């Protein structure tokens, strides 16, 4: 694989030397591209000696019979930027191309991994967070920094991830690149809102972040994605978005999209019940709410599924998590259930991180420790891809008889 290793100017540039060596040791063809600031931290000669190619001088150089500022990016199979400074992230998010690294980032269609490294104050600045969010929406993969010693004797969050972590994440990303190409994926996200009257609704705490991350990851892996969402979050780029409000809206939107889908991921927290007769006008005084169950969209999908279609359900539990999820898997007749213990710190509703267990109808069980929702999304999609490849998805004999509380 041809890898461009971008190095921008932070003290973590010294750890990029190790990233370079590990990528070369793994059998890849590596070209290091240094910003001017990076050259102040680590000498060009070090990267030229370790990488497969000498370090290109800059924008104006010829490269492999072409012009360096586009040729490097066009020919790359993977671009890794380690460290990615606040300045580099800002220039990349703004689409600037004023040096060889930023031009390469714009000229590539290969997957890109950025490994931010900066002081805690900068890492926590909204400008940096917004730039990263923009890049994530565009499909850029982030290996987040850890906590520890920083330049100048400071300590805190912002220390670049370790070289082994970066290399593992970069190679995993590249293996996933395009593995959903040619497939149609439908993802639902968010908590539905069920009208009591024109003013009030019954809803739940789901933010839609996990579902949106799944849609984003599926699109990055080459799928055509339809995202059916009740969330107010900005949807990821490159996906078809259907906005819905209630379980009934979601049912109709999913029913329209699912027949042509290879994969349906029901990450939405669909209301289990709704007011039976929502008032046409605003209610005054204390209403007597009579509830009725909503249609179970996922179970309907399972009973109408076409051969080879992969169905994924979610479960949010607070106790007896895996046993309940196992029963849900059987009851709904789906291939995979992703269960989160919403009482665990940092996991579940409205967090950017999640911690889940993935269960398969084939007996597969794997815990995904606390990590970003995007990484949880990729772990789920790895299992989806494995089942698409095996062609062993469930049949229609879902055991939908009882429903546990
Ligand atoms: O039965 P429960 O609500 O716990 O199941 C959760 C899973 O079922 C989620 O994947 C959710 O999107 C889906 N679901 C559904 N229709 C409902 C309720 C839940 O598709 N009415």
């Amino acid at each position: 694989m041809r890898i461009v290793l971008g190095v921008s100017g932070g003290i973590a540039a010294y750890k990029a030397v190790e990233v370079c060596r590990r990528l070369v040791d793994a059998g890849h063809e590596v070209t290091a591209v240094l910003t001017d600031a990076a050259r102040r931290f680590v000498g060009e000669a070090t990267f030229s000696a370790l990488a497969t190619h000498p370090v290109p001088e800059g924008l104006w150089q010829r490269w492999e019979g072409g012009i360096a500022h586009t040729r490097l990016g066009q020919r790359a199979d993977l671009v890794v930027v380690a460290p990615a400074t606040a300045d580099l992230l800002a220039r990349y998010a703004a689409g600037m191309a004023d040096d060889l690294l930023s031009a390469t980032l714009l000229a590539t269609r290969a997957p890109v991994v950025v490994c931010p490294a900066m002081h805690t104050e900068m890492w926590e600045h909204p400008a940096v967070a917004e730039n990263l969010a923009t890049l994530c929406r565009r499909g850029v993969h982030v290996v987040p920094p850890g906590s520890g010693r920083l330049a100048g004797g400071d300590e805190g969050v912002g220390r670049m991830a370790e070289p082994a972590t970066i290399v593992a994440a970069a190679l995993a990303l590249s293996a996933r690149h395009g593995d959903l190409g040619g497939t149609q994926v439908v993802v639902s996200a968010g908590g539905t809102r069920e009208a009591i009257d024109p003013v009030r609704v019954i809803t739940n705490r789901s933010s839609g972040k996990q579902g949106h991350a799944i849609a984003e990851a599926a699109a990055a892996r080459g799928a055509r994605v339809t995202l059916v969402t009740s969330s107010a979050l900005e949807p990821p780029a490159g996906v078809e978005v259907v906005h819905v409000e209630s379980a009934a809206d979601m049912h109709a939107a999913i029913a329209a999209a699912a027949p042509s889908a290879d994969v349906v991921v029901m990450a939405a927290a669909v209301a289990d019940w709704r007011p039976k007769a929502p008032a046409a006008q605003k209610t005054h005084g204390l209403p007597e709410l009579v509830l009725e169950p909503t249609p179970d969209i996922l179970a309907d999908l399972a009973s109408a599924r076409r051969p080879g279609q992969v169905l994924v359900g979610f479960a949010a539990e607070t106790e007896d998590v895996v046993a309940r999820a196992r029963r849900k898997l059987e009851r709904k007749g789906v291939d995979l259930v992703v269960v989160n213990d919403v009482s665990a710190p940092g996991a579940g509703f409205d967090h950017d991180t999640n911690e889940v267990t993935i269960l398969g109808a084939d007996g597969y069980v794997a815990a995904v420790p606390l990590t970003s929702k995007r990484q949880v999304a990729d772990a789920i999609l790895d299992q989806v891809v494995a089942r698409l490849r095996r062609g062993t998805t469930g049949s229609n004999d879902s055991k939908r008889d009882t429903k546990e509380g």
Side-chain angles (χ1 to χ4, degrees):
M1 188 159 59
R2 286 171 178 248
I3 303 177
V4 170
L5 172 63
V7 185
S8 59
I11 184 57
Y14 86 91
K15 291 204 280 186
V17 174
E18 177 72 7
V19 173
C20 180
R21 190 189 63 75
R22 283 174 182 261
L23 290 172
V24 173
D25 284 354
H28 301 291
E29 191 181 321
V30 181
T31 307
V33 175
L34 275 58
T35 62
D36 286 344
R39 287 170 210 267
R40 290 175 168 253
F41 288 93
V42 186
E44 192 180 302
T46 309
F47 285 101
S48 288
L50 287 173
T52 328
H53 297 281
V55 173
E57 279 156 29
L59 271 179
W60 308 104
Q61 191 186 352
R62 292 202 60 79
W63 188 259
E64 293 188 338
I67 38 182
H69 81 280
T70 51
R71 189 55 61 96
L72 270 163
Q74 285 166 337
R75 292 210 167 161
D77 300 304
L78 173 69
V79 180
V80 181
V81 185
T85 59
D87 176 68
L88 186 280
L89 293 170
R91 288 191 291 123
Y92 185 20
M96 289 173 70
D98 54 351
D99 66 3
L100 185 56
L101 179 52
S102 52
T104 300
L105 286 166
L106 285 202
T108 195
R109 292 197 174 132
V112 176
V113 182
V114 295
C115 312
M118 62 199 76
H119 266 70
T120 311
E121 295 82 349
M122 297 171 88
W123 173 244
E124 290 176 353
H125 196 285
V128 173
E130 281 171 27
N131 287 332
L132 263 182
T134 300
L135 292 171
C136 285
R137 259 200 325 279
R138 294 177 188 157
V140 172
H141 191 86
V142 180
V143 181
S147 200
R149 280 243 310 271
L150 304 166
D154 292 339
E155 295 245 351
V157 182
R159 190 180 153 87
M160 189 175 80
E162 291 309 314
T165 310
I166 292 171
V167 169
L171 297 183
L173 172 71
S174 151
R176 287 165 174 156
H177 186 60
D179 64 359
L180 281 170
T183 62
Q184 170 77 41
V185 174
V186 174
V187 183
S188 70
T192 62
R193 287 184 292 279
E194 311 300 328
I196 296 171
D197 65 22
V199 179
R200 289 89 163 203
V201 293
I202 296 178
T203 189
N204 58 65
R205 294 182 191 278
S206 170
S207 63
K209 284 182 179 173
Q210 184 62 74
H212 281 226
I214 294 167
E216 178 185 281
R221 293 168 74 151
R224 277 173 290 117
V225 179
T226 303
L227 173 63
V228 179
T229 181
S230 56
S231 167
L233 291 174
E234 191 171 342
V239 310
E240 185 200 357
V241 183
V242 182
H243 287 287
V244 295
E245 175 153 313
S246 64
D249 297 344
M250 187 165 278
H251 196 196
I254 297 281
S260 59
D262 302 288
V263 181
V264 183
V265 183
M266 282 295 297
V270 184
D272 288 315
W273 17 258
R274 63 189 170 203
K276 192 169 183 179
Q281 306 299 332
K282 183 178 171 184
T283 355
H284 296 279
L286 192 63
E288 286 236 332
L289 287 182
V290 180
L291 302 175
E292 65 174 7
T294 55
D296 192 324
I297 305 170
L298 189 55
D300 281 0
L301 289 176
S303 48
R305 78 155 89 189
R306 58 180 178 74
Q309 191 178 52
V310 178
L311 296 180
V312 184
F314 268 69
E317 301 289 353
T318 52
E319 57 182 0
D320 218 3
V321 172
V322 172
R324 281 175 178 272
R326 170 75 53 208
R327 291 203 290 276
K328 189 158 296 181
L329 184 77
E330 289 174 7
R331 181 165 47 80
K332 299 229 180 193
V334 297
D335 301 295
L336 293 162
V337 159
V338 181
V339 56
N340 36 26
D341 178 349
V342 287
S343 62
F349 301 129
D350 212 26
H351 290 284
D352 292 324
T353 49
N354 209 357
E355 182 181 351
V356 304
T357 303
I358 304 173
L359 291 93
D362 51 7
Y364 175 88
V365 186
V368 182
L370 192 67
T371 185
S372 67
K373 286 193 168 170
R374 173 59 192 266
Q375 283 185 356
V376 169
D378 276 317
I380 297 164
L381 293 175
D382 288 347
Q383 293 309 312
V384 166
V385 169
R387 280 153 187 77
L388 282 173
R389 287 189 180 148
R390 290 206 305 261
T392 53
T393 57
S395 57
N396 289 342
D397 59 348
S398 57
K399 301 167 196 128
R400 278 190 292 140
D401 39 4
T402 54
K403 179 168 167 80
E404 89 270 18

